[in-house]
């Protein structure tokens, strides 16, 4: 028994001696790896990020075109909006594109671009799916803002106010004026809801195309229609030198919409 134990001990000792050089090399490489500098690609990525941040922070435009003067501002902001909108049509591909900002009943904001489809003394109109995220938020919290930005003119307009659905007949008239493909798209899309793939969405549209083949009549779905923002605040912004921008704001009470109440104007610091 003792002889067997001695033999086993001698075998183990021989194995350790034989493996010692290999183990030394392994531990040596592990130490080198732990103390080596970060891979080159990591250093490059950090440098690229730093350079991008520097380039972004250096972006700057000096505004210099004609500014805004209170003495020349019309009493009704819609007059000035109309003038600026006509100017924008000469320099912008989609001058009616505007950022619509809404908020949930908990106050969580969201924003997206939509198209202005009409305006008059009653307010500014756009169309959407009432069951979309913006549609639900406007139902829960019927206040919103619109922002226009026309870079070539160095001008921006911000409009705030209460939002209400337009009458069904008004939505019907606009829906009928749309191209047939767009009307089918409004029906096919359960806006703001998940879908498995692009192919699934196109399949829904194709099914509707077949259903309405040979007819121009495509009824407006009840969940699709217009909203009208009744303005209580309209700000006209004009870029100026040294960041001393012009900001002239028209305001009136929330209950003074739909053509009622006089507009008050004041200048805001940039």
């Amino acid at each position: 028994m003792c002889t067997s134990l001695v033999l086993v001990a001698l075998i183990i000792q021989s194995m350790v001696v034989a493996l010692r050089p290999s183990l030394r090399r392994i531990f040596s490489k592990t130490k080198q790896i732990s103390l080596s500098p970060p891979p080159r690609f990591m250093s490059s990525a950090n440098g690229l990020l730093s350079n991008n941040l520097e380039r972004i922070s250096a972006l700057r435009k000096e505004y210099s075109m004609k500014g805004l003067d209170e003495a020349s501002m019309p009493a009704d902001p819609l007059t000035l909006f109309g003038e600026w909108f006509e100017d924008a049509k000469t320099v912008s591909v989609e001058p009616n594109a505007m950022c619509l900002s809404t908020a949930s009943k908990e106050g969580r904001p969201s924003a997206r671009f939509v198209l202005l489809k009409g305006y008059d003394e009653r307010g500014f109109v756009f169309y959407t799916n009432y069951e979309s995220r913006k549609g639900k938020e406007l139902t829960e919290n019927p206040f919103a803002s619109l922002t226009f930005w026309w870079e070539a003119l160095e001008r921006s307009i911000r409009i705030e106010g209460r939002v209400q659905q337009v009458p069904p007949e008004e939505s019907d008239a606009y829906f009928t004026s749309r191209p047939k493909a767009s009307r089918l798209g409004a029906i096919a899309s359960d806006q703001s809801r998940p879908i498995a793939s692009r192919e699934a969405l196109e399949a829904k549209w194709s099914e509707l195309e077949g259903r309405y083949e040979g007819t121009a009549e495509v009824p407006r779905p009840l969940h699709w229609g217009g909203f009208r923002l009744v303005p209580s605040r309209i700000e006209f912004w004009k870029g100026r030198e040294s960041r001393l921008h012009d900001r002239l704001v028209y305001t009136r009470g929330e209950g003074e919409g739909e053509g009622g109440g006089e507009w008050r104007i004041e200048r805001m610091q940039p």
Side-chain angles (χ1 to χ4, degrees):
M1 181 70 176
C2 292
T3 304
S4 299
L5 292 175
V6 170
L7 289 174
V8 170
L10 289 172
I11 292 171
I12 293 175
Q13 183 178 6
S14 299
M15 292 176 62
V16 170
V17 171
L19 292 173
R20 185 174 298 166
S22 298
L23 292 172
R24 185 180 294 112
R25 286 195 297 270
I26 292 172
F27 286 120
S28 176
K29 288 182 178 180
T30 304
K31 184 177 181 180
Q32 290 174 4
I33 291 173
S34 64
L35 296 178
S36 61
R40 183 177 300 176
F41 76 88
M42 292 182 62
S43 299
S44 300
N46 291 334
L48 181 61
L49 177 59
S50 177
N51 290 337
N52 282 339
L53 291 175
E54 290 177 3
R55 284 197 291 268
I56 292 172
S57 65
L59 290 175
R60 187 167 289 103
K61 171 182 171 60
E62 185 62 49
Y63 299 98
S64 58
M65 298 174 68
K66 183 180 178 182
L68 299 176
D69 177 20
E70 290 90 332
S72 62
M73 300 291 280
D76 189 341
L78 287 182
T79 301
L80 184 58
F81 178 88
E83 294 174 0
W84 280 26
F85 190 74
E86 290 302 313
D87 290 342
K89 286 164 64 176
T90 67
V91 299
S92 176
V93 176
E94 273 191 318
N96 58 331
M98 57 187 184
C99 182
L100 166 66
S101 300
T102 59
S104 66
K105 60 183 179 182
E106 293 83 15
R108 287 182 170 272
S110 63
R112 76 289 293 158
F113 281 90
V114 297
L115 297 177
L116 177 70
K117 288 300 179 179
Y119 73 93
D120 54 25
E121 68 281 354
R122 296 173 299 169
F124 298 81
V125 177
F126 59 92
Y127 292 86
T128 189
N129 187 316
Y130 290 142
E131 297 177 357
S132 65
R133 178 178 179 180
K134 57 183 172 295
K136 291 179 179 179
E137 289 182 350
L138 289 171
T139 300
E140 296 174 351
N141 182 10
F143 294 91
S145 69
L146 306 172
T147 304
F148 295 86
W149 166 240
W150 299 306
E151 180 181 8
L153 300 174
E154 302 178 346
R155 293 173 177 173
S156 178
I157 300 177
R158 293 165 54 191
I159 306 168
E160 302 172 18
R162 178 179 288 274
V163 177
Q164 55 191 217
Q165 291 188 11
V166 304
E169 55 272 18
E170 197 171 328
S171 291
D172 288 337
Y174 173 70
F175 190 78
T176 302
S177 73
R178 304 180 83 201
K180 183 179 178 180
S182 297
R183 284 178 278 161
L184 295 178
I187 300 173
S189 174
D190 296 320
Q191 197 174 107
S192 299
R193 298 179 185 177
I195 193 166
S197 65
R198 172 78 189 187
E199 289 74 19
L201 178 62
E202 292 178 350
K204 292 171 65 179
W205 187 92
S206 296
E207 189 277 326
L208 288 167
E209 184 183 34
R211 185 190 308 176
Y212 291 100
E213 185 177 5
T215 178
E217 297 297 323
V218 179
R220 176 181 67 88
L222 296 179
H223 62 263
W224 193 97
F227 281 109
R228 175 178 286 107
L229 187 148
V230 182
S232 57
R233 186 181 193 275
I234 302 180
E235 176 178 328
F236 293 86
W237 180 97
K238 175 65 190 64
R240 297 297 302 276
E241 303 91 338
S242 304
R243 293 298 188 265
L244 298 179
H245 309 308
D246 285 329
R247 295 177 59 192
L248 295 183
V249 179
Y250 289 81
T251 57
R252 66 181 177 187
E254 292 290 351
E256 301 175 51
E258 298 279 353
E262 292 185 359
W263 288 98
R264 298 169 289 278
I265 183 172
E266 57 186 345
R267 177 178 289 270
M268 297 291 179
Q269 297 181 60

